[in-house]
Amino acid sequence: MHIWKNFTGVSTLTKLLHPDAKVIAVEPEGAACLKASVKAGRVVTLPAVSTIADGTAVKTPGEKIFPYLKDNVDEIITVPDEDLVAAFLDMVENHKMIVENSGLLTVAALKQLDCENKKIVCILSGGNMDVITMSSVVQQGLIQRDRIFTVSVLLPDKPGELQKVAGIIAGENGNVIKLEHNQFVSTNRNAAVELRITLEAFGTEHKDRILATLEKTGYKPRIVRTTL
């Protein structure tokens, strides 16, 4: 099995040397110009592209190379941006490597393949990412995996209520990284004010445990969009 993200004559050469080889192309879901062109049987130009894999964010496949790809690529996999985010976080945490999003297309594509008992090699190419982009991708990856989440609870505007909620979270080993206190969620502040808490957790199971404990102690936790 051969998986390619950038296409040259390599797909044709692979077929010549290994006729039984399965050649798979990988594109970002938001810039799948090759898939659209193969479906149409001719080179087409997408009206727009949108992907974090900026190195492969093209609207049109190459006119000269397209006939070779059409004849030699057996399958085209498209990868959503959220899978690229997950792949980036895996590489940083587990392998201590920085790989740009376009270079992670083949890694992200493995999620869609049957890899059991098979030897598959992904070529990791490119590390051209600025620190702001890296920070954003890591944050999104942590949010996707429930390692960071934000919960909203309503509580009376009385002394000690914030300390009580903080104690519940601490008791479940949650780490508070951000607090937002909105006193204007209700006209009756004594009845309810909103507390939005952004937390670090170990994953989905830990997150669910924190929410369950808040529920048991009388609060009605509600997951809201995390903004860091």
Side-chain angles (χ1 to χ4, degrees), residues 145-204:
R145 295 187 173 190
D146 288 334
R147 300 264 298 279
I148 292 178
F149 68 98
T150 301
V151 59
S152 168
V153 294
L154 298 179
L155 62 161
D157 191 16
K158 297 177 182 178
E161 289 295 325
L162 178 57
Q163 183 179 4
K164 190 186 298 183
V165 173
I168 293 168
I169 293 170
E172 292 294 346
N173 293 317
N175 184 35
V176 176
I177 57 176
K178 184 179 178 183
L179 281 175
E180 295 175 275
H181 191 232
N182 180 8
Q183 293 184 322
F184 303 105
V185 71
S186 169
T187 54
N188 183 356
R189 287 170 48 189
N190 289 326
V193 295
E194 182 188 35
L195 185 65
R196 290 196 175 198
I197 314 155
T198 301
L199 301 161
E200 282 182 321
F202 300 121
T204 303

Side-chain angles (χ1 to χ4, degrees), residues 2 4 6-16 23 65 69:
H2 297 265
W4 306 106
N6 293 322
F7 307 106
T8 60
V10 73
S11 59
T12 304
L13 181 60
T14 298
K15 282 291 191 182
L16 288 172
V23 179
I65 198 66
L69 296 174

Side-chain angles (χ1 to χ4, degrees), residues 215-227:
E215 189 83 44
K216 286 177 184 176
T217 49
Y219 297 99
K220 294 181 179 179
R222 180 173 58 92
I223 294 297
V224 295
R225 184 172 179 269
T226 299
T227 54

Side-chain angles (χ1 to χ4, degrees), residues 85-100 104 129 134-135 137-138:
V85 169
F88 182 85
L89 193 60
D90 276 337
M91 294 306 300
V92 170
E93 285 198 308
N94 300 324
H95 303 285
K96 315 306 178 191
M97 293 177 64
I98 300 296
V99 184
E100 65 184 67
L104 287 170
M129 290 184 74
M134 281 191 283
S135 174
V137 172
V138 168

Side-chain angles (χ1 to χ4, degrees), residues 110-164:
L110 295 178
K111 183 178 178 181
Q112 302 182 42
L113 297 172
D114 176 16
C115 302
E116 189 174 356
N117 299 321
K118 295 176 183 176
K119 293 181 180 180
I120 297 177
V121 176
C122 293
I123 298 172
L124 307 176
S125 61
N128 184 26
M129 290 184 74
D130 62 86
V131 290
I132 299 299
T133 301
M134 281 191 283
S135 174
S136 176
V137 172
V138 168
Q139 285 181 2
Q140 289 304 310
L142 293 172
I143 292 169
Q144 278 183 20
R145 295 187 173 190
D146 288 334
R147 300 264 298 279
I148 292 178
F149 68 98
T150 301
V151 59
S152 168
V153 294
L154 298 179
L155 62 161
D157 191 16
K158 297 177 182 178
E161 289 295 325
L162 178 57
Q163 183 179 4
K164 190 186 298 183

